[in-house]
Amino acid sequence: MAESRFAVSALAHFETLLRRERLDTAADLDRLTGSLGEVREARSDASADDEHDPDGPTLSAEWSTLSGVHSELAERLAGIDRALQRIADGTYGVCTRRGEPIGRARLEARPAAALCIACARELETARTA
């Protein structure tokens, strides 16, 4: 695998961005985990009759939404951890698919990016086709 082309100062910059993003994402995940627990508890309450409440979503719908967001946040956190590991390994900024450099502008926008823009576009096109 190719080595990072970034100077130590640039890697420190990206590590700072990733650590900040990790703290924010972990806090969001913790809050959402609490919300999921509340919905789980409400769903297990035999007296909760939310299916006939015209004023709001059902507990099942709320659970589904929260569960989906929880999964996205957990995957984002894992991606941040993988990016931090690439910094430690000396491979940060290198596309994990083709081994080509990832543009600095892309990494500024998405510090956890593992793919160059070309690979990201190819995968997105394949996913939506």
Side-chain angles (χ1 to χ4, degrees), residues 16-120:
T16 298
L17 292 178
L18 286 162
R19 292 204 181 278
R20 239 183 257 142
E21 188 175 342
R22 190 183 195 297
L23 283 173
D24 292 344
T25 302
D28 290 344
L29 191 58
D30 286 346
R31 279 191 295 278
L32 195 59
T33 299
S35 296
L36 278 169
E38 291 169 10
V39 172
R40 182 181 299 121
E41 187 175 313
R43 285 176 68 187
S44 68
D45 181 5
S47 66
D49 182 16
D50 73 329
E51 298 298 325
H52 299 96
D53 180 2
D55 295 330
T58 65
L59 289 173
S60 295
E62 190 170 349
W63 172 264
S64 179
T65 300
L66 290 175
S67 181
V69 174
H70 187 275
S71 294
E72 289 173 17
L73 287 172
E75 179 53 37
R76 182 184 308 161
L77 195 60
I80 293 167
D81 287 342
R82 288 189 297 269
L84 288 167
Q85 186 60 51
R86 288 193 300 278
I87 288 175
D89 293 345
T91 59
Y92 183 79
V94 178
C95 178
T96 58
R97 188 169 178 225
R98 287 194 185 145
E100 299 191 15
I102 299 173
R104 184 172 183 126
R106 176 163 171 72
L107 292 170
E108 288 289 347
R110 302 181 75 107
L115 301 173
C116 65
I117 194 71
C119 286

Side-chain angles (χ1 to χ4, degrees), residues 4 6-16 86-87 90 92-93 104:
S4 177
F6 291 111
V8 172
S9 61
L11 290 173
H13 165 73
F14 287 117
E15 183 174 4
T16 298
R86 288 193 300 278
I87 288 175
Y92 183 79
R104 184 172 183 126

